[in-house]
Amino acid sequence: MADWTMLPKELLQLISEKLNSEFYRIRFRSVCSTWRFSIPKPYNPFPFYLPQFPDSSSSSIYSRDSDIHKLDKHNIFILKPPTTPNQQTLYRPWLVRISPTSSGKFNLWHPLSRNSLNIPYDSSVLDISQLSVFDIAQMYDLSTPVAVFHGEEFMGSVATFQGEEILDIVTQGYSGEMVMLRHGDDSWKQIPNEAHFYHDICIFKGRPCLADGTGRTVMIGSNLSVHLVAEPVYGGYLYGDIKIMVEYESELLLVHKQGYHHRGDLRIDVFRVDQKEKKWLRLANLGDTVVFFGQCHSFTASALDLGFDKGNFVIHFNNNDMSIFHLDQRQNSLLSDYPDYLKLFWPPPEWIISRCL
């Protein structure tokens, strides 16, 4: 049997460079002392304290006494129990959002909503390093009031990185203007010549992208330059009309939700960007992919990783209830009609609870 502790340092370095999550790098370093000393301990820059927005009345550059000017990072995990050779029972996975605390522990959150999970046991004793973990998405929580457009909040903030160092942070200012905090700057810069009230923001090819109510999408350069990614796909904005973006396997997807479940007119369309033609192409089938359309963030996952038989649907919030939209049937249903899917979120599976008692 091969001795994994004897792998050449150069090979260990190449392996570590393929790990796209700080959690995976922590797991890598925990294998043995040789692996631990082959790469440095991951640096965690969060919470990252931010300058005041330009129109803030405060004269202080940083507000370390308040929670309204800092950026936190949350990871969305699929948790599964460690497998054994003679395991007969098929355990269901658990989808959860986790954020670290200043004390070195962590908080548990619903993966699609802004709500924390109040669970009747001590989650701080849960050692996720002993579980099978898929780090499927990251989100950034900017604890600052944001502008509201037609009753819909702007969906989030993003940060770009070089290694573990934050380069740029892009979000929406108090008045709805898009602003960027660049590495080395001590103040926000407004992104020029861009309309207010974008619907969503995401990272694509390592750079922030913004989509407005028509689907027009732009990429922001580190010098505040604006580059067209895709032309508008709709003529204008309608009430109850929301668009979000997700990056999936080097593709940029636009998900458009319009209408309401209680009126029976809710529909969801998914588009893929044609980078050469700079336009959105409607997709009829997502294959194995499941899109999660949250209240303030969105992401995708493989149906196989989630324990589902097939993908090609969108799980989303609708009037504080979770719903599922089947793209092949063009039909929306409450997620409560699909108990196996609903259990992915709540309650925590028994194998999680047994580790916290």
Side-chain angles (χ1 to χ4, degrees), residues 14-29:
L14 289 173
I15 295 173
S16 68
E17 291 173 358
K18 300 295 184 181
L19 304 177
N20 59 1
S21 164
E22 68 274 14
F23 177 78
Y24 293 155
R25 290 191 286 272
I26 292 172
R27 296 280 292 262
F28 177 92
R29 296 181 79 251

Side-chain angles (χ1 to χ4, degrees), residues 32-33 45 51 96 147 171 334 339:
C32 64
S33 59
V96 65
T171 190
L334 291 175

